[in-house]
């Protein structure tokens, strides 16, 4: 398998100290892939703001637009083979995946709290190339969508 250029968006911006980045980024790099991250686009800020119930839609929309803009620019420069996402639905909108589809970039959405966030299966899953669902009993939610 040829190494891929994978654009990764996780719950927080890139940091060597982030458990999420240590797990996913380290593994992808160890497999020989190039891992790309968005610049500071407000992912962590969206987490804090929306968890408090403030400005949810404004923050989600801004983060989505910022990520898509960066993806478009990088895809034009060197290409992106895959978009990998593991963010809470309060951090972005499903339009992110529509934009990726328009660019011809396949997407994988990994989410591991599907029973508490049924909106992932209902509002996000239909627009993703592949949903990675770790809870076996949640698979029915995704098949239905």
């Amino acid at each position: 398998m040829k190494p891929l250029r994978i654009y990764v968006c996780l719950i927080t911006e890139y940091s060597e100290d982030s458990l999420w980045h240590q797990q996913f980024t380290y593994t992808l790099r160890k497999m020989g892939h190039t891992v790309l991250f968005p610049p500071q686009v407000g992912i962590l800020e969206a987490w804090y703001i929306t968890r408090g119930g403030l400005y949810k839609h404004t923050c989600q929309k801004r983060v989505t637009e910022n990520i898509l803009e960066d993806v478009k620019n990088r895809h034009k420069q060197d290409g992106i083979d895959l978009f990998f996402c593991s963010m809470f639905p309060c951090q972005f909108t499903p339009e992110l995946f529509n934009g990726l589809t328009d660019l011809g970039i396949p997407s994988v959405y990994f989410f591991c709290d599907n029973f508490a966030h049924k909106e992932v299966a209902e509002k996000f899953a239909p627009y993703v190339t592949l949903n990675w669902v770790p809870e076996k009993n949640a698979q029915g939610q995704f098949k239905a969508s």
Side-chain angles (χ1 to χ4, degrees), residues 38-132:
Q40 298 290 321
V41 295
I43 292 172
L44 187 58
E45 176 189 4
W47 169 254
Y48 289 133
I49 289 173
T50 56
R51 295 289 292 177
L54 306 171
Y55 312 110
K56 181 176 180 180
H57 300 294
T58 302
C59 220
Q60 287 175 304
K61 186 175 187 229
R62 181 171 40 88
V63 169
T64 300
E65 290 171 351
N66 289 343
I67 292 170
L68 272 175
E69 184 65 29
D70 190 52
V71 166
K72 286 177 189 175
N73 291 336
R74 291 185 186 207
H75 192 51
K76 281 181 193 174
Q77 290 173 357
D78 298 313
I80 295 173
D81 299 307
L82 180 68
F83 182 90
F84 178 83
C85 178
S86 183
M87 296 193 302
F88 278 89
C90 65
Q91 294 177 289
F92 69 110
T93 66
E95 284 74 30
L96 175 62
F97 298 119
N98 290 335
L100 296 167
T101 299
D102 291 346
L103 293 169
I105 301 171
S107 56
V108 174
Y109 188 24
F110 172 77
F111 192 71
C112 59
D113 195 7
N114 291 292
F115 296 113
H117 295 275
K118 293 186 185 297
E119 71 271 25
V120 171
E122 296 167 0
K123 296 179 182 177
F124 290 78
Y127 305 103
V128 180
T129 308
L130 176 71
N131 289 283
W132 183 4

